[in-house]
Amino acid sequence: MPNEEKQTAAGDGLRVGVFICDCGLNIAGSVDTQAVTDYAATLPRVVCAVRNRYTCADPGQNEIKAAIREHNLNRVVVASCSPLMHEPTFRACIASEGLNPYLLEMANLREHCSWVHGGDKDGATAKAKDLVKSAAARAARLQAREETSMPVTQAALVVGGGVAGIQASLDLAGAGYQVYLVDKEPSIGGIMARLDKTFPTMDCAI
Amino acid sequence: MMDVGRHPRIELMAYSEVEGVGGYVGNFKVKVRKKARYVREEDCNSCAECAEVCPVVVPDEFQMGLSSRKAIYLPFPQAVPASYIIDMDACLGTNPIACGKCEEVCEKVCIDYDMKDEVVELDVGVIVVATGMDVYDPTELDEYCYTRYDNVVTSMEFERLICASGATEGHFVRPSDHEVPRRIAFIQCVGSRNNAGDKGNRYCSNICCMNTVKDTLLLRDHYPDCECTVFYMDIRAFGKGFEDLYMRSREEGVKYIRGLPGEIRQDAETKNLFLTAENTLTGEVVEREFDMVILSVGVIPRQDNPLIKKLLSLSTTADGFYMEAHPKLKPVDTPTRGVYICGCAESPKDVKDSVTQASAAVARAMTLLNAGEVTAEAITASIDAAFCTGCGLCAKVCPFNAIVVDKDRKTASVVSAMCMGCGNCGATCNQGAVTMGHFTDEQYYAQMDALLEENPENKIFTFACNWCSYAGADNAGVSRLQYPATPRLVRTMCSARVTEDFVLYAFMKGAPVVLVSGCHFADCHYIDANRQTVKRVYRLWDKLEKLSIRPERLQLEWISAAEGQKFARVMREVEEMRKQVTAAEIEHTRKAVAEEWEKKLAREAKRKKKAEADESRDEVQVS
């Protein structure tokens, strides 16, 4: 089914682009990435499926950006490595094309698939297809999200006035911040104040 | 200490306690109770005339009870603030007929018997917790007879006996006869490294070895003819300059015997002490007579830790010290954003390490202060008032106290800035009122549909938490640890996000095995949210059993980010289990769960109808 027709069939205006990374041979070595790309193109709402050599590198990111413009994508799936590694990279990438960064979904084809099923290309490819299918299904249900930011009160509370609390207070105050140092005892000093000399310098504790 | 007292940007609140903490990162509201000193701090010039006339004498806690103080007292000569304070438990009373002598002599008129506690509220952006430590009390160790023999003292008491401003003004004497002892023994690891775990603690207190080395050098310096003997397990002189100091102590003639005495006996007449120990390096049994024994006591967590822990939503390790957000990469952060830990509150450590860690905590705190604003990943929970019944279950399980329940209006709402997005509330709410941003129920069902649409019988359906198990799977990948290609992983921020319905749905879709995986208990990135995971899994096991489904088809595993090996092993084990699940079994499960699911859908439809009806009624009332 041609891409445009498929979108019309879904009728919800969602246009998903899927980018499958070879990662050199890291993924392509044990996953048939072309088969996965062909499969991705058949998934609901997927209007473009592209195979990259390295999606995270500039040429790969440029392909995503170009496809967003060309196909008017509003959801992006990157099937490459762990999101713990490159989610921030691809969020920034789609944001540079004006998409909300939360409209990105990743499928972990490397750490969770190609690297751990090296001797089982069929099994790994089947799994990779599933992971892409799951990611595309989730991507279709992603919503734009706004990160809220709040001002930080320019003051610090230090609880405890032993040697650590004293040092923390002096550092913070020295840097120009207002510090409130709270100590339970009638005097600061903590355990340190009770010591005679301290090692390794053998000098006075107070 | 003096620098703190006079710094224009440090407001010192001594004799004060944190009573309440509200707000969230960048915008904490802290309630501090300034306890009444009964002496106006700003007026007192510590002339000491009040203490001279005070008739009440009590043990001086600063001197470990080795000397006395008055009811009105200065905690110690260098105290900051340098102000007297009245110990109202000891004071004869505010009635001038009873006493009132101090007030009479105070020329500056700074004594105020009617002073009241004052509660102040502070607005702060960050909090540094440096609550320190307590010292182990060796009373429970019968073999060392700390409370029975006068001449057995702790290393803390030693400090006050050898200090020039101590109880004896630096004259080191033994308590029984106030004579200078000549033969002194130190016993190491008192209250530390006890693997039996019955008394004391299992951990190493870090500082006691070097403290004893220091003490022996002080003694040799003050009393060159004294004999010091140290009974030890291991001498841990690992820090910079430590080994040199230890060697100096040995060169000074201090004897080190590797072996701890089993008991201390006392000569009733001379009050001298006899120690017997096996020297494990030579195998010989040593019996020696000493004039005095010093117990090198360990460090324990502050006994008021639980209070601060609760106020700031912190976690503690099994030892009772505060836990860092990550043991290697976030050593001074805590699970609560904007709260940092340093010093002995985090773990036993010496002065240098405390100072280093304090500066590290401040550096972390200042990255936040300096940025001026704080952003949160938009994965927070929200509550739909139309469905919420105000039951408060979500607020109960929220590890961050981020949910406020309005009992009158019967609704709950989420304080977004405090919500960390674990999803525990979402999995707990049985009204379907909670939506987890970016990790919605709908998204999970779509993923399950996708993954289990074809050949579900060949798949291990796995929920993995973002921080540990998912990262553990990554670790297996990075280490190229091979396992079968059957697992299908879905990422949740916390294992506590996994609802009972998710698991049932996976079974209904034909999953032969479902695995829920998360952080180990102490590692949970949402404090203790994964305790709820356990409860849910237990409930599910019961439910599966009732539906005649083998409970072992639902597996629960804790896999840390470092445990790639464990992840691969678990996957291989679960794969073996998957192979045992027959097609007939899967079919039976599908049907059994589908029936339950129908009932659930019916319940939900009813609830939705009711919510809509309520809403339209409200609208009518408004119009």
Side-chain angles (χ1 to χ4, degrees):
Chain A
M1 197 193 298
N3 290 335
E4 290 306 321
E5 274 181 43
K6 195 162 69 182
Q7 174 47 43
T8 320
D12 51 14
L14 292 174
R15 303 175 64 83
V16 183
V18 182
F19 300 85
I20 286 128
C21 179
D22 278 358
C23 197
L25 283 176
N26 279 302
I27 295 173
S30 39
V31 169
D32 183 344
T33 44
Q34 190 53 50
V36 177
T37 312
D38 295 343
Y39 172 75
T42 68
L43 292 169
R45 302 184 184 84
V46 174
V47 295
C48 95
V50 180
R51 180 179 156 202
N52 314 112
R53 183 177 275 273
Y54 290 102
T55 315
C56 62
D58 279 352
Q61 291 198 42
N62 287 338
E63 280 192 77
I64 297 178
K65 291 174 190 171
I68 291 174
R69 287 193 295 269
E70 188 186 333
H71 297 282
N72 210 11
L73 301 180
N74 50 25
R75 299 289 186 280
V76 173
V77 171
V78 177
S80 58
C81 49
S82 171
L84 303 187
M85 173 125 184
H86 269 313
E87 193 173 60
T89 312
F90 295 117
R91 277 187 173 178
C93 170
I94 70 164
S96 75
E97 283 301 314
L99 280 186
N100 182 286
Y102 286 81
L103 300 178
L104 168 87
E105 179 59 15
M106 288 185 75
N108 190 341
L109 300 195
R110 193 177 70 174
E111 283 85 343
H112 287 191
C113 191
S114 66
W115 274 351
V116 286
H117 312 310
D120 179 9
K121 195 159 186 172
D122 290 344
T125 304
K127 181 173 177 178
K129 285 180 182 173
D130 264 6
L131 296 180
V132 169
K133 183 182 181 184
S134 165
R138 179 170 147 79
R141 285 155 185 86
L142 290 176
Q143 296 295 324
R145 311 259 322 153
E146 292 308 322
E147 290 181 352
T148 46
S149 69
M150 290 143 305
V152 175
T153 309
Q154 299 293 296
L157 169 73
V158 177
V159 191
V163 61
I166 288 173
Q167 182 67 38
S169 302
L170 290 173
D171 280 359
L172 281 160
Y177 299 104
Q178 172 65 39
V179 177
Y180 301 98
L181 172 57
V182 175
D183 197 310
K184 206 173 174 177
E185 301 295 326
S187 168
I188 56 168
I191 297 282
M192 182 201 61
R194 291 187 182 181
L195 305 179
D196 176 38
K197 302 281 192 295
T198 56
F199 63 84
T201 46
M202 307 297 286
D203 55 353
C204 216
I206 290 192
Chain B
M1 282 170 61
M2 299 281 285
D3 294 343
V4 169
R6 59 177 165 240
H7 202 294
R9 278 187 297 277
I10 299 179
E11 185 172 336
L12 176 56
M13 299 178 175
Y15 204 45
S16 303
E17 283 182 61
V18 176
E19 255 188 3
V21 180
Y24 43 85
V25 54
N27 298 278
F28 292 107
K29 288 207 179 301
V30 184
K31 247 191 220 158
V32 177
R33 175 175 295 270
K34 294 172 90 170
K35 291 180 282 185
R37 287 178 89 102
Y38 306 101
V39 177
R40 270 187 295 277
E41 200 180 302
E42 56 282 10
D43 296 335
C44 175
N45 64 354
S46 25
C47 66
E49 279 177 27
C50 53
E52 269 163 34
V53 297
C54 178
V56 184
V57 178
V58 290
D60 184 349
E61 51 278 81
F62 183 79
Q63 304 288 7
M64 305 297 294
L66 294 167
S67 62
S68 57
R69 62 162 170 83
K70 297 294 184 64
I72 187 164
Y73 68 106
L74 187 67
F76 53 97
Q78 304 93 330
V80 177
S83 161
Y84 275 69
I85 176 171
I86 298 180
D87 174 356
M88 268 302 166
D89 292 336
C91 179
L92 291 179
T94 54
N95 183 347
I97 299 165
C99 181
K101 287 200 166 86
C102 53
E103 196 179 20
E104 283 169 27
V105 297
C106 182
E107 282 177 14
K108 298 215 43 167
V109 202
C110 45
I111 294 170
D112 175 4
Y113 286 131
D114 299 322
M115 197 182 272
K116 295 267 181 301
D117 287 5
E118 189 190 346
V119 177
V120 292
E121 206 165 273
L122 308 172
D123 287 308
V124 296
V126 294
I127 299 175
V128 177
V129 177
T131 44
M133 51 171 267
D134 276 329
V135 178
Y136 175 70
D137 177 356
T139 304
E140 64 175 351
L141 303 174
D142 302 329
E143 62 271 36
Y144 293 152
C145 302
Y146 170 62
T147 46
R148 279 171 56 204
Y149 303 156
D150 290 344
N151 295 330
V152 176
V153 303
T154 68
S155 41
M156 269 314 285
E157 288 164 334
F158 173 90
E159 294 292 338
R160 299 321 302 160
L161 284 170
I162 197 123
C163 183
S165 64
T168 52
E169 293 175 338
H171 300 291
F172 187 70
V173 294
R174 63 178 201 165
S176 69
D177 51 13
H178 295 195
E179 292 294 324
V180 175
R182 209 177 56 78
R183 298 161 300 176
I184 301 147
F186 289 85
I187 301 177
Q188 293 305 106
C189 294
V190 176
S192 309
R193 298 185 68 196
N194 177 7
N195 282 325
D198 51 346
K199 285 174 185 171
N201 298 297
R202 286 170 189 270
Y203 56 84
C204 166
S205 287
N206 183 314
I207 55 168
C208 333
C209 285
M210 290 313 296
N211 192 55
T212 292
V213 169
K214 174 205 79 178
D215 291 349
T216 61
L217 284 167
L218 284 179
L219 282 172
R220 294 286 301 168
D221 180 57
H222 293 7
Y223 306 95
D225 62 339
C226 77
E227 287 172 17
C228 294
T229 308
V230 178
F231 293 90
Y232 70 98
M233 237 191 263
D234 300 290
I235 291 291
R236 296 185 162 174
F238 52 88
K240 189 176 184 179
F242 288 10
E243 187 71 10
D244 287 349
L245 209 66
Y246 172 42
M247 285 303 141
R248 222 174 94 199
S249 167
R250 294 192 84 118
E251 281 159 18
E252 288 272 345
V254 175
K255 291 189 196 73
Y256 283 84
I257 295 175
R258 190 171 185 276
L260 297 182
E263 60 170 357
I264 300 176
R265 283 176 296 111
Q266 180 186 252
D267 183 320
E269 205 163 303
T270 61
K271 304 282 184 190
N272 286 351
L273 303 158
F274 294 88
L275 269 61
T276 313
E278 185 196 346
N279 184 336
T280 56
L281 293 178
T282 60
E284 63 182 315
V285 173
V286 196
E287 185 173 15
R288 297 268 167 84
E289 185 179 355
F290 293 96
D291 302 323
M292 192 168 176
V293 171
I294 291 144
L295 304 178
S296 190
V297 287
V299 172
I300 58 168
R302 278 290 293 213
Q303 298 306 289
D304 50 8
N305 264 6
L307 187 75
I308 294 284
K309 176 181 169 181
K310 192 161 185 294
L311 287 176
L312 294 172
S313 302
L314 302 181
S315 335
T316 45
T317 57
D319 298 338
F321 294 97
Y322 291 129
M323 199 160 73
E324 59 278 40
H326 187 282
K328 292 188 294 277
L329 302 175
K330 287 187 174 174
V332 294
D333 290 36
T334 68
T336 307
R337 271 183 92 197
V339 179
Y340 306 89
I341 42 171
C342 58
C344 291
E346 185 262 343
S347 66
K349 57 175 65 68
D350 64 15
V351 173
K352 179 186 175 181
D353 284 355
S354 293
V355 168
T356 309
Q357 203 179 31
S359 291
V362 167
R364 292 289 297 153
M366 285 201 304
T367 50
L368 204 68
L369 288 168
N370 212 20
E373 60 173 28
V374 49
T375 52
E377 208 183 356
I379 57 170
T380 49
S382 55
I383 295 175
D384 186 342
F387 289 96
C388 179
T389 59
C391 71
L393 281 177
C394 53
K396 231 181 235 169
V397 299
C398 176
F400 303 96
N401 299 324
I403 301 180
V404 186
V405 183
D406 185 335
K407 283 204 176 110
D408 297 334
R409 297 176 53 205
K410 291 194 171 167
T411 54
S413 58
V414 180
V415 183
S416 303
M418 290 165 78
C419 171
M420 305 294 277
C422 65
N424 201 358
C425 55
T428 298
C429 179
N430 45 32
Q431 303 296 321
V434 177
T435 303
M436 292 311 303
H438 203 56
F439 290 97
T440 64
D441 286 8
E442 191 203 6
Q443 288 162 1
Y444 282 117
Y445 286 124
Q447 284 175 285
M448 287 190 262
D449 282 338
L451 291 170
L452 295 169
E453 189 177 317
E454 290 163 65
N455 310 321
E457 66 281 4
N458 294 336
K459 295 168 188 175
I460 298 167
F461 197 84
T462 305
F463 295 98
C465 83
N466 180 64
W467 305 99
C468 286
S469 302
Y470 192 94
D474 279 3
N475 185 296
V478 173
S479 318
R480 311 295 200 278
L481 302 168
Q482 304 298 301
Y483 55 86
T486 45
R488 298 291 184 270
L489 236 74
V490 162
R491 179 166 65 127
T492 56
M493 288 310 284
C494 178
S495 59
R497 171 71 182 99
V498 181
T499 69
E500 292 173 44
D501 283 347
F502 287 178
V503 173
L504 292 175
Y505 191 81
F507 279 125
M508 188 169 76
K509 288 285 157 184
V513 188
V514 175
L515 169 66
V516 176
S517 59
C519 304
H520 291 276
F521 275 147
D523 291 349
C524 180
H525 283 60
Y526 303 98
I527 303 180
D528 58 356
N530 59 358
R531 302 259 173 197
Q532 296 297 326
T533 312
V534 179
K535 287 188 183 166
R536 272 177 216 125
V537 168
Y538 270 93
R539 275 201 296 271
L540 277 163
W541 279 332
D542 284 349
K543 193 172 266 179
L544 293 178
E545 209 153 20
K546 276 184 199 143
L547 296 173
S548 308
I549 300 165
R550 281 190 294 146
E552 56 268 34
R553 287 174 58 199
L554 169 61
Q555 288 284 313
L556 175 64
E557 286 286 350
W558 308 129
I559 302 167
S560 83
E563 291 177 329
Q565 293 225 1
K566 182 174 180 186
F567 184 87
R569 175 171 57 76
V570 167
M571 287 304 162
R572 285 192 293 268
E573 286 168 6
V574 179
E575 171 64 3
E576 288 311 307
M577 205 176 295
R578 183 196 66 80
K579 287 181 188 161
Q580 309 298 322
V581 182
T582 63
E585 219 179 332
I586 293 174
E587 200 43 44
H588 162 263
T589 306
R590 273 175 186 273
K591 277 191 191 143
V593 180
E595 275 174 33
E596 287 295 303
W597 202 263
E598 284 300 321
K599 289 182 209 159
K600 171 189 129 70
L601 291 180
R603 276 198 306 272
E604 271 172 17
K606 207 168 150 191
R607 206 154 55 215
K608 199 173 169 199
K609 219 168 159 184
K610 187 176 174 291
E612 278 167 4
D614 288 352
E615 216 160 70
S616 58
R617 196 173 51 236
D618 288 349
E619 274 165 27
V620 169
Q621 279 173 357
V622 169
S623 60

